Each structure stands twice: as structure tokens, then as C-alpha cells.
Amino acid sequence: MNTPVEGFSRLSKAEKIDWIATNFTKNPEESRQLLQQYWNTDGKVQKLHDEFIENTVSNYYLPFAVAPNFLINDRFYAIPMTIEESSVVAAASKAAKFWLNRGGFKTTVLGTEKIGQVHFIFNGDFNKLQDFFSKIKPDFFSDASSITKSMEKRGGGIKDIELRDLSDKVKGYHQLHCTFETLDAMGANFINSCLEQFAQTLKEKANSYPDFTQKEREIEVVMSILSNYVPKCLVRAEVSCPIGALNEDDISPTEFAQKIVRAVEIAKAEPHRAVTHNKGIMNGIDAVILATGNDFRAIEAGVHAYAAKDGSYSSLTHASIEDDIFKFWIEVPLALGTVGGLTSLHPLVKLALEILQNPKAEELMQIVAVAGLAQNFAALRSLVTTGIQKGHMKMHLLNMLNQMGASESEKLQLVQYFKTHTVTNASVKEALEKIQSE
Ligand code: MEV
């Protein structure tokens, strides 16, 4: 029990399951059955999933939903969302419907530049390094030509390579700071392959550069890797309408608009609130990122760094009232792909992209930004009016009833009952016990 295992990856799937169930679970037979129950009955689909990652023993399902009625740049979209949290899809759909009659969402891609860096140590004369870099710069491009050829044919490739001196931060630390255009690919493999080639060119050329001393020739490459911080791979999404069109129950349009603007001001000023505010935005963004097979960890890391770009963590969305026009917008960095990676492998990802009419990466950036903005609008709309719990607990009701083991007919009765009663954990428990005892 709990002893290290040799060669786990080489065990068959059945053997892996057996080992994990026997050694780490209370009821090995039940665990075995559970893991197998989540296998896909189509062997081909299962094999595909087995091979996405290593040591696969089962599948982990998340709901795949659709939020309809998004009007973006005068075109209709139904947005696929993959997420476990109740209320998120309902909130997105509600926000989409709200803005449908108020002109919809308008979006603009502000840039598509991706970044990668070769981090290296050079101990010597920086002026000499600069001369060396200027002389060999064309070699970086030509040495990488076999990697960049097909990307260049499609209009992408390496945009620039810059030498940066960061030796004030870490002794001898310098960088090749490189920018790329990767079109519809997220581009991680392309960028990393280019960077590793740049690193090789850098070392080789330095080694035989006559103006360097022996010490200067010995450039140490620490690492070559893309950056997930992409502040120039940026998209903006916006909604706006005359204040009078913001008709809500129990609150005047002006007060509603002012409360939203103030809620955004608070998220701009105060990091605790900003984090939660942005978390709500990521509810929408991550759900579309996951459904479309993109890398949500990369997006999360880059987005939060962007939220802190001015020195303190702040809101990703903005709101204003000018000349009686309410405006609400987001600017967010999103390095996305609609080709490569999971996009052509995962059957549901393919379907999600088809539902979105097979967008180019730039179009997907716009759709994802809209999902984030819609989510934030829906959250703020509830927060500054009824509060979040009313809607949230209603949506969460089925989860609670499932957890409490309610039957289908009990669920039907209680969903009906709670249309006019407040949902809390205690009230649901009490109502369920009451009908069970009747
Ligand atoms: C919950 O998942 C997201 C919210 O907390 C976002 C927010 O507070 O703005 C409702």
C-alpha cells in the first residue's frame, strides 16, 4: 500500500486501474466499475481520449451547453460553453437576450502579436553583443526558414527579434525577445520550435565570433519558450445604449446605469473585489475556451497578468455614462487557435467550432471576449439589484436535490414549489423531508 510503483506508464489500462483502485480506494471493485462506467462505448472515441494525455484511466465529463441569441457585429451566434458551475450559462443567455434588443455586441481585434523569448546569460561587453546581434540577425530568420516556410506562405511568421539587456535584474541575463504572427494557430509549437532554433544559431555564431573574448563566446542559453503574456494579442468587446433603454424592474434606468458604473469603479480600485469581478468574467471566457479546445491555463495566466499591467490588480471591464449613453466594454488578451491542437481531434471541440460557423482565430477572440463581457454584465446586473443568491440558488436547486437523493417526481414538485419560495440549503431540505413524509 502506498509504495512507489515502477513503470506505471507501461502497464495496460486495466492494470493501471487495478493498481490505483486496490492501493488507494476503500472499495476497489466499486472504483473499478466507476472508472469503466465513464469510458466511451465507442472504442475509437475512447482510444482518442486515452491518447490525449498519459496514464489515462477514464474520462472526466463536464457539461457541454449552448447560450443562444448572441448578436455580435450584426451576426447571430449560439455560443458553446463547457463549465460545471450552475447559473453561468443561464446568465450568459440572459445577457445575450438583454443586448439583442439594444444593438448587440460590437467587437474589434486590436492586435494578434504573440511573443516568445530566448533567455540567455552573456558576461561581457553589451556594445559588442549589440554589434554581434545586428550582424547575425538575418541568420536567425534564414536558419529557421524550414520551420517558418509554410506559416509564411499563409501570411504569418516571425515578425521581429529584439535583443534585450536585463543584466540589472539577474547577473548576465539577456533576452532575444521575439514576436510572431501565427494566424489561426495558437502557435505554441511553431513559436517554441523557432525559439529553439534561434538559441542554436545564437550559440553557434557566438562561438566563432572574432570580436568576442573566449568568455563572451560562451553564451549560456537558459531556456527558450513562448510567453503566455500577450498584451498585444488583444480584443475589445462593447455594448452601449441610451440610458433610457436600460429599463429594469424596481430601479430607474439612471440609477441602474450609475450602479453598474460604480460597481466597475470599485473593481478598478480594490483588488479583492477585482479578483471576484474578473473571476465572473472568466466564467464566460473559460467556458468557451474549454468548449473550443483552447488552453484555459494559458488564457487565465495571460489575462490576470494583463489585469495587473498598471501595477495593481484591476477590473478587465470598463463602464461609462456620457451624454446619456451607457457604455460597457472589455479589453482582454486572448491568444487562441482554431486549427491545430485539440481543434481537429476532439469530436465535441469540432462540433463547438462548427456551431460557431468555423471561425478564424480572430473571430473566436471576439466571441470569447463577448462571452466574458456578457457574463460580467449579468453578474453586475444581479449584484446591484436583487443580489446574486436569488438566481444562483434557483439554478443550484437541482444540484442540491440530487445531492439529497430526491426522486424525479420529488424534483418536479420541488422545482415548482421553489418558483415562489426562497431557496436555501435548509429550506430545500425541509421541503423535501416534508413531501417524503407525506
Ligand atoms: C460567481 O461564479 C461569479 C461572481 O462572483 C462574479 C462577481 O461577483 O462579479 C458572481
Side-chain angles (χ1 to χ4, degrees):
M1 171 77 176
N2 292 4
T3 51
V5 58
E6 278 289 323
F8 183 70
S9 65
R10 290 192 298 278
L11 298 181
S12 70
K13 190 151 89 172
E15 288 167 335
K16 286 187 184 99
I17 289 178
D18 204 44
W19 183 81
I20 198 85
T22 311
N23 289 301
F24 292 91
T25 72
K26 276 201 218 80
N27 188 332
E29 197 37 49
E30 252 178 36
S31 309
R32 245 177 243 124
Q33 270 172 23
L34 184 67
L35 290 170
Q36 286 173 9
Q37 195 182 318
Y38 278 83
W39 287 355
N40 199 291
T41 45
D42 181 333
K44 257 198 189 151
V45 175
Q46 187 52 52
K47 188 160 184 312
L48 204 62
H49 283 257
D50 286 351
E51 290 174 1
F52 285 151
I53 60 166
E54 309 75 38
N55 294 345
T56 311
V57 288
S58 192
N59 304 312
Y60 183 101
Y61 295 142
L62 283 175
F64 180 92
V66 168
N69 297 326
F70 273 92
L71 183 62
I72 307 175
N73 301 334
D74 301 320
R75 197 172 156 197
F76 280 103
Y77 292 85
I79 301 189
M81 300 178 85
T82 295
I83 187 158
E84 88 300 343
E85 184 175 333
S86 54
S87 299
V88 168
V89 177
S93 308
K94 245 174 124 178
K97 212 160 167 197
F98 183 96
W99 287 105
L100 182 63
N101 305 319
R102 292 165 177 85
F105 295 81
K106 303 284 181 232
T107 58
T108 326
V109 171
L110 302 173
T112 56
E113 181 186 281
K114 314 266 170 73
I115 292 169
Q117 297 163 320
V118 177
H119 306 268
F120 67 94
I121 303 296
F122 170 81
N123 286 310
D125 180 345
F126 182 63
N127 290 330
K128 278 208 263 171
L129 183 65
Q130 264 179 321
D131 285 347
F132 162 74
F133 174 73
S134 311
K135 283 197 183 113
I136 69 152
K137 193 169 171 183
D139 297 330
F140 290 123
F141 290 82
S142 55
D143 289 358
S145 63
S146 64
I147 305 166
T148 56
K149 205 161 88 193
S150 88
M151 186 67 88
E152 274 169 6
K153 254 194 214 145
R154 287 178 279 132
I158 308 160
K159 286 174 72 179
D160 197 13
I161 306 173
E162 235 181 83
L163 173 70
R164 292 191 174 177
D165 178 2
L166 292 140
S167 55
D168 58 328
K169 296 192 182 352
V170 174
K171 189 175 174 300
Y173 175 30
H174 295 77
Q175 254 183 20
L176 296 180
H177 183 91
C178 316
T179 45
F180 300 87
E181 170 55 61
T182 62
L183 306 168
D184 289 328
M186 191 262 188
N189 283 332
F190 172 76
I191 293 173
N192 289 335
S193 300
C194 288
L195 294 172
E196 288 187 4
Q197 178 57 56
F198 298 163
Q200 204 173 317
T201 301
L202 178 73
K203 278 183 71 122
E204 277 171 16
K205 301 283 170 189
N207 218 358
S208 57
Y209 188 60
D211 293 354
F212 277 163
T213 61
Q214 187 50 38
K215 197 171 141 218
E216 288 168 334
R217 285 195 186 118
E218 286 163 10
I219 281 182
E220 181 201 338
V221 171
V222 181
M223 57 194 159
S224 310
I225 187 76
L226 94 168
S227 170
N228 292 122
Y229 184 46
V230 281
K232 290 189 183 161
C233 187
L234 198 65
V235 57
R236 177 189 165 104
E238 181 183 307
V239 285
S240 69
C241 70
I243 290 200
L246 291 172
N247 40 319
E248 289 285 278
D249 295 341
D250 305 326
I251 184 167
S252 80
T254 306
E255 197 190 346
F256 178 65
Q258 284 167 346
K259 282 196 169 201
I260 297 257
V261 169
R262 210 171 310 130
V264 173
E265 275 169 5
I266 289 170
K268 284 188 183 204
E270 209 282 315
H272 284 88
R273 174 56 203 151
V275 169
T276 316
H277 178 96
N278 289 347
K279 186 276 181 187
I281 294 169
M282 298 316 287
N283 279 344
I285 290 185
D286 280 341
V288 190
I289 296 293
L290 264 176
T292 57
N294 276 278
D295 179 343
F296 64 91
R297 288 86 55 208
I299 297 301
E300 283 278 347
V303 165
H304 295 299
Y306 188 77
K309 71 179 188 320
D310 297 324
S312 100
Y313 190 89
S314 183
S315 168
L316 292 161
T317 52
H318 312 270
S320 69
I321 301 170
E322 268 171 42
D323 300 330
D324 269 351
I325 300 287
F326 169 76
K327 212 186 260 182
F328 184 57
W329 71 100
I330 186 168
E331 266 181 29
V332 69
L334 294 168
L336 301 179
T338 52
V339 298
L342 273 198
T343 55
S344 54
L345 280 179
H346 195 300
L348 279 175
V349 167
K350 275 202 264 184
L351 183 68
L353 289 168
E354 191 185 334
I355 291 170
L356 292 172
Q357 308 299 301
N358 293 316
K360 297 272 191 202
E362 285 197 26
E363 193 181 348
L364 185 60
M365 285 168 78
Q366 298 171 65
I367 295 165
V368 171
V370 164
L373 185 69
Q375 210 65 48
N376 189 225
F377 179 77
L380 296 183
R381 186 182 180 195
S382 297
L383 286 167
V384 302
T385 56
T386 55
I388 207 80
Q389 282 309 85
K390 191 170 166 218
H392 185 76
M393 293 306 273
K394 280 240 155 80
M395 294 295 166
H396 191 52
L397 178 61
L398 275 182
N399 284 345
M400 293 201 269
L401 289 170
N402 283 335
Q403 250 169 31
M404 292 172 194
S407 69
E408 288 309 307
S409 80
E410 286 162 355
K411 282 195 252 178
L412 273 178
Q413 281 181 66
L414 289 170
V415 166
Q416 202 54 34
Y417 172 81
F418 278 106
K419 280 193 173 145
T420 50
H421 291 80
T422 306
V423 178
T424 64
N425 216 29
S427 68
V428 173
K429 195 159 176 264
E430 193 182 320
L432 177 62
E433 280 167 4
K434 186 154 176 265
I435 55 171
Q436 282 173 340
S437 68
E438 271 163 12

